[in-house]
Amino acid sequence: VPTAGDSTSNPSPTIVGSKIKDMIIFNSRLGFASESTLVFSVIDDFYNLYRTTTSTYLISDAVDLELDSSKLGYRKIDNIFTIDNKIIINTGLSQSVLALPVNLDISAAIFAQVSSFDLGNNVPIPVRRAMYFPIKQGSFTTLKSFQQDLESGTGYTDNHTTKHCEKYIRGEVIQSLFTNDIYIARTDED
């Protein structure tokens, strides 16, 4: 419920009534992704998804971003994650970065497609400065690592981390984690 304005000047966030696809904490904001929007809370107030004033715009206020589907390959958001303090939006077949201006005004952010890798719709696992995606291929699962291209310094790469042993993980990964330099996966075959 907004504390400032009314339903016209301070409408409900677009995620109300939508299926939440993913959540994230970024720059002291709680963020939600639906199939086509990103909504971020007020800075340091995770429970407030409304503007704090309607007479002016504050950089710290809640932000509701409608995604331009032409920038995301006309696909719905599967998940969002961060790499090197950048939000990456994954649609399964394309990845876009939420490019923030210098003052970190998230309401002025733009979406720029940075790659078009088939990462599937599985939730990625952070491993150091990369994200690991389990991809089912036949009766086995392989792992892809999505990370910044260190050779060129621009863009992203998707490396097949299990290319040397593609039939190592039997079944589909249903849960995984990375801790103490060990990647642990539970499959539907376990």
Side-chain angles (χ1 to χ4, degrees):
V1 178
T3 58
D6 56 26
S7 61
T8 303
S9 62
N10 199 358
S12 296
T14 56
I15 60 167
V16 172
S18 299
K19 179 180 179 184
I20 294 176
K21 299 286 283 188
D22 209 350
M23 297 180 353
I24 194 168
I25 294 180
F26 183 76
N27 287 352
S28 299
R29 295 177 185 265
L30 177 61
F32 298 93
S34 70
E35 291 180 343
S36 63
T37 61
L38 291 178
V39 175
F40 292 93
S41 71
V42 171
I43 290 178
D44 292 326
D45 188 358
F46 291 166
Y47 301 108
N48 189 357
L49 298 175
Y50 293 89
R51 294 176 54 197
T52 57
T53 178
T54 56
S55 60
T56 187
Y57 172 74
L58 302 176
I59 289 177
S60 61
D61 266 345
V63 177
D64 200 325
L65 301 170
E66 181 77 28
L67 303 182
D68 180 358
S69 61
S70 65
K71 299 274 194 278
L72 300 175
Y74 297 101
R75 291 186 46 99
K76 298 173 182 172
I77 296 172
D78 282 328
N79 47 58
I80 56 177
F81 54 91
T82 60
I83 293 180
D84 292 331
N85 205 33
K86 295 177 185 162
I87 294 179
I88 306 291
I89 298 102
N90 179 39
T91 67
L93 293 176
S94 68
Q95 297 74 42
S96 297
V97 67
L98 181 64
L100 297 172
V102 178
N103 66 357
L104 299 177
D105 180 359
I106 224 168
S107 69
I110 59 168
F111 298 94
Q113 185 171 335
V114 292
S115 62
S116 56
F117 302 122
D118 183 359
L119 298 177
N121 61 359
N122 293 310
V123 176
I125 300 296
V127 177
R128 294 187 187 88
R129 297 185 78 182
M131 299 301 278
Y132 279 30
F133 286 82
I135 308 289
K136 180 126 168 62
Q137 294 183 332
S139 59
F140 292 88
T141 296
T142 61
L143 292 177
K144 279 190 179 180
S145 168
F146 179 83
Q147 60 195 38
Q148 284 194 301
D149 187 344
L150 299 177
E151 287 183 26
S152 70
T154 60
Y156 293 83
T157 62
D158 74 329
N159 298 315
H160 287 272
T161 24
T162 54
K163 188 173 188 171
H164 61 289
C165 52
E166 293 181 346
K167 294 187 176 182
Y168 182 67
I169 303 172
R170 185 180 310 277
E172 183 173 6
V173 172
I174 54 175
Q175 184 180 19
S176 59
L177 62 99
F178 179 79
T179 184
N180 298 327
D181 289 336
I182 299 171
Y183 179 83
I184 300 170
R186 183 170 69 100
T187 70
D188 59 1
E189 296 280 323
D190 292 345

